[in-house]
Amino acid sequence: MNEIKTIAVLGAGTMGNGIAHVAARSGYRVLLCDVAQNLLDRGIATIEKNLAREVSKAKITQRQAEEARAAIVPALDREALGGCDFAVEATTERLEVKAEIFRDLDRILRAEVILASNTSSISITKLGAQTSRPRQVIGMHFFNPVPVMQLVEVIRGLETSQETFETVQTLAVALGKTPVEVNDAAGFISNRVLMPMINEAVFAVMEGVATPEAVDKIFQLGMAHPMGPLALADFIGLDVCLDIMRVLEQGIGDPKYRPCPLLIRMVDAGWLGRKSGRGFYTYT
């Protein structure tokens, strides 16, 4: 496979702009693609704010921040991604959305280019099957906030080649991350363990066992978690938590993964956590 110089990032939301930030800061040219100008503008603004924060904390110099920002090229048309050497998708956690993107990238990008997904729960094997290059499809699950968190889950699909896996391992290290190998299963490791814990915390609130504040305080003071499960759910997005629980329920087929009815009702009401201003807590 060719040397990676230009990375395409599909999705300028929280995860996508974080991946673009880290890639540009690490010396790569980045093509940041989304479906609407306002989404791209918001993603670029977030990157600029986070680069400025790193300068203020003396993590990088002003010149490095300017070089990183200059390396990021926004794009509305996927056809503009044709010259990239590596692509990573970071869009909504729904198979039908990701599948369409992978089919289109398979058409647009050179045959040797690896297609990675930042999915936190969806089968890499299913995504690979959407393409003519399943050996070059892999999971590359970053953690939020991407510029800060060190872990990247690297997920092999059924047909992912060893060469693809080694390339992504090397890239993760070049981005300043620590890659950990995981095989393809619903939720992988992180969310297979984390999301049922969050879901059970929601059940505890729904059943009147404790308030959200009490649940979170128990985990912070008793288990040394920096953030309680319900505050973390608000941070992740309750809609994202619900999507992942549904992937677990369908993919594993065990009723213990059924989403809590309270979680479903809150998402239906538009209470999505920090991004909507209301979840288990209220945000201004």
Side-chain angles (χ1 to χ4, degrees):
M1 294 182 184
N2 293 341
E3 180 185 359
I4 297 171
K5 295 181 179 179
T6 300
I7 296 175
V9 180
L10 283 292
T14 299
M15 299 305 295
N17 70 58
I19 296 167
H21 173 153
V22 167
R25 194 182 61 190
S26 300
Y28 295 92
R29 180 171 179 261
V30 178
L31 305 176
L32 181 60
C33 184
D34 214 317
V35 296
Q37 188 63 50
N38 67 307
L39 300 177
L40 277 175
D41 291 344
R42 189 184 309 158
I44 293 292
T46 299
I47 293 169
E48 291 173 345
K49 181 179 70 175
N50 289 338
L51 286 170
R53 181 182 293 118
E54 290 179 331
V55 172
S56 71
K57 294 182 177 181
K59 292 184 176 180
I60 59 174
T61 66
Q62 181 62 38
R63 181 174 178 177
Q64 288 172 321
E66 291 169 359
E67 289 174 346
R69 171 61 189 90
I72 300 171
V73 180
L76 287 171
D77 187 352
R78 290 179 198 160
E79 299 292 338
L81 310 180
C84 77
D85 307 308
F86 185 91
V88 55
E89 167 275 324
T91 62
T92 186
E93 198 66 4
R94 296 185 181 177
L95 176 60
E96 64 272 17
V97 174
K98 295 182 186 294
E100 186 277 326
I101 291 170
F102 269 68
R103 289 192 295 268
D104 208 26
L105 291 178
D106 188 42
R107 175 185 63 82
I108 294 168
L109 304 187
R110 302 190 312 274
E112 69 272 16
V113 174
I114 292 172
L115 307 182
S117 177
N118 181 61
T119 179
S120 57
S121 62
I122 291 171
S123 168
I124 300 304
T125 300
K126 285 183 179 179
L127 292 177
Q130 306 299 315
T131 76
S132 61
R133 62 181 90 189
R135 291 176 57 79
Q136 290 145 248
V137 174
I138 195 165
M140 197 175 188
H141 178 209
F142 292 82
F143 288 74
N144 185 30
V146 179
V148 176
M149 301 296 280
Q150 290 300 301
L151 176 64
V152 174
E153 276 184 311
V154 180
I155 304 104
R156 294 176 183 262
L158 185 63
E159 295 190 64
T160 303
S161 71
Q162 182 65 21
E163 183 181 7
T164 294
F165 174 76
E166 290 174 358
T167 298
V168 171
Q169 290 269 87
T170 300
L171 176 61
V173 172
L175 296 177
K177 304 303 181 186
T178 301
V180 176
E181 179 182 359
V182 181
N183 288 321
D184 195 14
F188 316 131
I189 292 298
S190 58
N191 281 323
R192 182 166 180 168
V193 175
L194 173 63
M195 286 301 158
M197 181 189 75
I198 288 175
N199 196 52
E200 196 62 30
V202 182
F203 268 113
V205 172
M206 185 185 76
E207 294 169 1
V209 178
T211 65
E213 292 83 359
V215 171
D216 282 347
K217 188 172 291 186
I218 285 168
F219 275 84
Q220 289 177 286
L221 301 181
M223 289 79 169
H225 288 203
M227 185 184 296
L230 300 174
L232 179 57
D234 277 357
F235 181 70
I236 294 168
L238 301 189
D239 53 335
V240 176
C241 295
L242 178 57
D243 285 343
I244 294 171
M245 286 306 302
R246 285 173 168 158
V247 169
L248 290 170
E249 182 183 31
Q250 181 180 14
I252 298 174
D254 191 318
K256 72 181 181 181
Y257 295 107
R258 73 180 179 95
C260 177
L262 176 58
L263 178 61
I264 296 171
R265 289 200 302 272
M266 292 177 72
V267 171
D268 287 346
W271 298 2
L272 308 182
R274 285 181 179 268
K275 61 186 172 186
S276 70
R278 184 170 185 177
F280 287 99
Y281 301 94
T282 301
Y283 303 90
T284 57

